[in-house]
Amino acid sequence: MSLISVKNLETKFDNRLIHEGLNLDIKEGEIYGLLGPSGCGKTTLLREMVMLQKYSRGTIKVLGYDLNTISHNQAQSLRRKWGVLFQAGALFSSLSVAENIALGLQEYTDLNKKMIQEIVAFKINLVGLKQSDGLLFPSQISGGMKKKAALARALALDPKLLFLDEPTSGLDPISAREFDSLILKLHELLGLTIVMVSHDLKSIYDTLDKIAVIDNKKIIYEGSLNNIKNEKSEFIRTFFKANL
Amino acid sequence: MSGNLEIKYKGTELTLFFRGEFSLYNISHFETQLKTLNKPSLTHVDIDLNALTYLDTSASLFLNSFTKKLNKNNISYTLICGSKELLDTLNLTDKYSNKNDNVIPSKTSFIESIGKKSYDNFLGLLDFFAFLGKLFSTKIHLIRNFSSIRYKEMAFEINESAIKALGIIALTSFLIGLVVAYQGAYQLKTYGANIFIVDMLGISILRELSPIITAIVIAGRSGSAYTAQIGAMKITEELDAMRTMGFDPYLFLVLPRIIALMVMMPVLIFISDIMAIIGGMIVANVDLDITVNMFLDRFLIAIDIKHFYVGVFKGPFFAFLIATIGIYRGMAVKNDTQSIGFNTTKSVVESIFAVIMCDALFSIIFTNLGI
């Protein structure tokens, strides 16, 4: 079953064409990567999928909902079914880490306080933070911890779909590999479907099942990593030249 | 999200059938159902998950803690579950659930919080002195190396924080002049002392009202802008970037703003004087039948030039207070977004307070000096 399908997408900023006739299809259980040179519109595409940005033409379907015709209530329930991890974490700075994770649970479920605390403690353990970190505020923790905390927040409502915007950028190589294995582990354990934008070659080889390369407003390659070396595109050749 | 729970008793044994989906959204529903169980009489519980189609991590956390509770009460249980996936989820949540006691945030007592706050305020005061010291040393440096003054930045700030404020200051002062004259006229009319409106307006506006009104408007408009600008620069690490590139922020950001405001404040007060007097003149004309010529004649006789000088003299002092507090608050912004709002509020409140304090001080000094 395909969870996300994008058909004939066109995006225009003023007169600048970002995407034109872009098609892709993301199936359940995949770890799907969006790749491409900077400024090609990867993050824009991700933002369009999570309804943060309007596109000018085409259709995007997420979990069966067509984003062109989605009603307000449907959009709200769709928003509970996915988790989004932003590049810099985007934790709410007035709330502690634990409160950040608990926020969705408090707003959307009728669970009691003790249960919420238990769930929060579990998510904190799951992403590899310490329980005492939950009391800290976002301004008091490091970049890597922010990412982990933001991941825990994204996972709070047990989403089926997880969007990651450059999950390993700004992390040191060791933390980056840890984060990769964390994502793989969560994928395996919780059966998540993951869509990510990444520039990190090691992370791409380690985690992704399927990639889509965007260049020149279109998808120039969609498929597994095995066949990528045979592609003729300039970007793909330079990007994957490093033999890993 | 549909799921249900069926409870079957068989003597002291019990079977729980979970069906459909079991997730975040129906945990509390099941919990109330399970609470009705008569626990002391039970010896064994079968938990049947075979009809379950979906189990999320929160629900499996709940199941785990339920089975733990059964153990504690010496009730045996069997988990009937054919699906490997569900078992995996249960094991996963058990593995990562919080085994130790929860970390409880340490509570601070009332006395302790007072102490902490006072100490923080004390540190804040020391910080402000350090800021003033740095400012002073930069000024000394500037006097020695006159060529390093940033004229361009200063001209930019003069336009941004003073010239663009002319409109609002003129309008506010005009209205204040109007209101003061209107209220005064009513009182003076009963005594037939119409012409003294000129004395009243002239002295109160030139000496006190204009400087204070101008300072308050500038504190609200330009002082807060300084805090927000510099605070945002601090969050985006622009200040650090400037330092590493060898541009002293005090020279590039702080001094141009302070000097710009100090230079322009007397001019703004002068404009404010004019507008407030015009406002008063109109009311005098309409309400008290004092023509413009009469008003100006009386003004020349009754109002000493010293009143004007006193008002304008205060300008640079007020400007210094507003600009330094605004910028200091900007530099005190910490690395989160909340801190900008907090410090902007503080900057406006503190600078208005400081201006009024300073005005009171001047009032005492000038009276004692007989000016």
Side-chain angles (χ1 to χ4, degrees):
Chain A
M1 191 179 94
S2 83
L3 289 189
I4 301 179
S5 69
V6 178
K7 282 205 176 68
N8 275 324
L9 184 79
E10 182 187 300
T11 311
K12 246 184 191 171
F13 288 149
D14 297 327
N15 282 325
R16 214 152 46 86
L17 211 53
I18 307 292
H19 304 130
E20 191 183 19
L22 190 148
N23 296 293
L24 60 83
D25 214 40
I26 300 171
K27 302 222 162 42
E28 192 170 354
E30 279 178 343
I31 305 187
Y32 193 97
L34 293 171
L35 273 65
S38 348
C40 72
K42 305 178 294 285
T43 301
T44 308
L45 181 59
L46 198 75
R47 287 171 63 87
E48 283 166 352
M49 287 177 189
V50 296
M51 293 190 285
L52 283 175
Q53 203 156 342
K54 287 252 187 287
Y55 44 91
S56 20
R57 211 180 293 160
T59 47
I60 298 181
K61 271 189 191 167
V62 181
L63 298 173
Y65 295 105
D66 185 344
L67 299 190
N68 289 328
T69 56
I70 195 165
S71 73
H72 177 74
N73 289 339
Q74 285 173 329
Q76 282 303 95
S77 74
L78 179 57
R79 286 188 178 109
R80 284 186 226 169
K81 288 182 192 145
W82 69 41
V84 184
L85 174 69
F86 288 92
Q87 218 178 103
L91 293 167
F92 302 120
S93 53
S94 57
L95 303 175
S96 71
V97 168
E99 287 166 338
N100 260 293
I101 301 168
L103 195 64
L105 297 165
Q106 279 163 0
E107 291 298 318
Y108 291 131
T109 67
D110 53 356
L111 298 171
N112 58 34
K113 247 191 183 154
K114 205 178 141 273
M115 193 66 217
I116 289 182
Q117 241 175 33
E118 213 171 305
I119 296 173
V120 168
F122 161 70
K123 305 281 166 173
I124 287 178
N125 279 341
L126 190 67
V127 297
L129 289 172
K130 288 196 293 287
Q131 287 303 317
S132 55
D133 296 337
L135 301 175
L136 297 176
F137 284 86
S139 54
Q140 298 170 314
I141 59 178
S142 71
M145 284 162 78
K146 263 183 208 163
K147 290 230 158 146
K148 285 180 184 171
L151 185 63
R153 183 178 71 178
L155 292 173
L157 290 172
D158 273 309
K160 298 182 163 83
L161 187 56
L162 192 62
F163 293 97
L164 311 172
D165 190 2
E166 304 205 19
T168 54
S169 79
L171 297 182
D172 65 273
I174 296 169
S175 313
R177 298 295 80 79
E178 270 177 18
F179 208 85
D180 285 343
S181 56
L182 177 64
I183 287 167
L184 279 176
K185 188 175 81 184
L186 293 174
H187 170 69
E188 189 188 336
L189 294 175
L190 306 176
L192 292 170
T193 306
I194 298 173
V195 182
M196 72 160 116
V197 168
S198 184
H199 281 303
D200 184 343
L201 206 52
K202 186 90 178 74
S203 159
I204 289 167
Y205 273 109
D206 285 354
T207 53
L208 298 181
D209 298 332
K210 202 169 168 192
I211 61 165
V213 181
I214 307 176
D215 196 9
N216 221 352
K217 299 162 202 156
K218 281 189 175 65
I219 303 273
I220 54 169
Y221 177 82
E222 189 183 17
S224 78
L225 278 159
N226 302 329
N227 310 326
I228 190 104
K229 285 267 167 68
N230 307 329
E231 284 294 312
K232 293 255 156 45
S233 146
E234 178 73 36
F235 170 75
I236 294 178
R237 264 193 300 158
T238 357
F239 193 80
F240 287 96
K241 204 158 59 182
N243 258 316
L244 283 169
Chain B
M1 296 277 159
S2 57
N4 68 64
L5 167 64
E6 194 186 337
I7 303 172
K8 265 190 191 159
Y9 283 97
K10 209 196 286 167
T12 58
E13 288 187 11
L14 179 75
T15 316
L16 302 172
F17 292 100
F18 287 95
R19 293 203 180 89
E21 290 191 4
F22 187 12
S23 72
L24 278 173
Y25 303 100
N26 49 23
I27 291 176
S28 57
H29 177 66
F30 289 171
E31 198 178 8
T32 41
Q33 249 181 305
L34 290 173
K35 262 193 191 140
T36 58
L37 295 179
N38 181 18
K39 279 209 187 102
S41 65
L42 290 175
T43 55
H44 186 81
V45 178
D46 282 330
I47 301 171
D48 190 338
L49 303 180
N50 276 332
L52 212 53
T53 54
Y54 176 71
L55 177 73
D56 73 359
T57 57
S58 303
S60 55
L61 265 178
F62 173 76
L63 273 181
N64 281 335
S65 68
F66 178 69
T67 52
K68 258 175 220 144
K69 238 186 265 165
L70 292 179
N71 262 342
K72 231 198 232 162
N73 295 333
N74 287 323
I75 303 167
S76 61
Y77 71 90
T78 4
L79 210 56
I80 306 164
C81 176
S83 147
K84 195 180 160 290
E85 276 174 26
L86 295 187
L87 280 177
D88 279 350
T89 316
L90 284 170
N91 287 335
L92 165 77
T93 47
D94 190 47
K95 189 174 157 202
Y96 287 103
S97 70
N98 196 20
K99 303 288 192 311
N100 315 325
D101 288 332
N102 281 329
V103 231
I104 299 147
S106 58
K107 277 192 182 125
T108 47
S109 72
F110 181 60
I111 305 281
E112 192 183 343
S113 70
I114 289 181
K116 268 189 180 153
K117 267 224 175 99
S118 326
Y119 185 64
D120 278 352
N121 281 335
F122 175 67
L123 287 185
L125 194 69
L126 286 189
D127 246 19
F128 186 62
F129 285 142
F131 173 79
L132 286 182
K134 183 83 215 287
L135 195 64
F136 187 69
S137 70
T138 318
K139 266 191 182 163
I140 299 273
H141 169 85
L142 206 60
I143 291 166
R144 286 230 198 100
N145 311 282
F146 210 69
S147 57
S148 57
I149 293 185
R150 314 298 303 180
Y151 291 106
K152 212 177 117 201
E153 277 82 2
M154 219 185 295
F156 178 78
E157 286 307 328
I158 285 178
N159 184 36
E160 270 309 300
S161 51
I163 307 283
K164 286 188 179 171
L166 271 180
I168 185 71
I169 286 176
L171 185 64
T172 325
S173 308
F174 177 74
L175 289 175
I176 290 283
L178 216 73
V179 169
V180 171
Y182 191 72
Q183 294 297 328
Y186 181 75
Q187 304 292 333
L188 290 170
K189 237 193 292 188
T190 44
Y191 296 102
N194 290 12
I195 194 66
F196 288 108
I197 187 106
V198 182
D199 304 44
M200 189 195 87
L201 280 179
I203 295 176
S204 66
I205 286 172
L206 293 187
R207 263 188 103 104
E208 293 295 336
L209 286 177
S210 272
I212 289 282
I213 294 297
T214 312
I216 288 174
V217 172
I218 287 293
R221 187 192 169 283
S222 307
S224 60
Y226 289 171
T227 310
Q229 278 169 4
I230 291 183
M233 284 177 146
K234 191 155 180 214
I235 286 186
T236 54
E237 295 185 307
E238 277 174 64
L239 289 187
D240 296 341
M242 285 180 78
R243 283 199 186 96
T244 55
M245 292 161 85
F247 308 137
D248 185 5
Y250 280 82
L251 205 59
F252 279 73
L253 297 175
V254 179
L255 273 181
R257 283 178 167 76
I258 292 177
I259 295 174
L261 219 51
M262 283 175 78
V263 169
M264 288 309 286
M265 198 68 155
V267 179
L268 293 174
I269 291 175
F270 180 52
I271 304 283
S272 162
D273 284 343
I274 297 174
M275 293 308 290
I277 295 290
I278 290 177
M281 227 189 274
I282 289 173
V283 171
N285 203 344
V286 173
D287 228 27
L288 298 170
D289 300 324
I290 297 172
T291 62
V292 173
N293 277 336
M294 267 165 80
F295 191 99
L296 291 177
D297 281 345
R298 176 68 194 167
F299 201 88
L300 273 178
I301 301 164
I303 312 296
D304 226 352
I305 187 74
K306 72 176 182 189
H307 298 304
F308 170 72
Y309 285 140
V310 165
V312 169
F313 176 78
K314 291 178 192 171
F317 293 90
F318 290 176
F320 179 78
L321 287 172
I322 293 167
T324 39
I325 290 173
I327 293 166
Y328 165 70
R329 278 287 157 202
M331 298 231 170
V333 165
K334 293 194 192 67
N335 199 8
D336 60 273
T337 41
Q338 286 241 308
S339 168
I340 290 191
F342 171 80
N343 277 297
T344 311
T345 313
K346 276 244 164 179
S347 127
V348 175
V349 171
E350 282 172 359
S351 52
I352 289 177
F353 176 73
V355 162
I356 290 173
M357 279 280 284
C358 177
D359 191 52
L361 211 68
F362 274 134
S363 201
I364 295 168
I365 293 171
F366 288 139
T367 313
N368 282 333
L369 287 177
I371 302 172

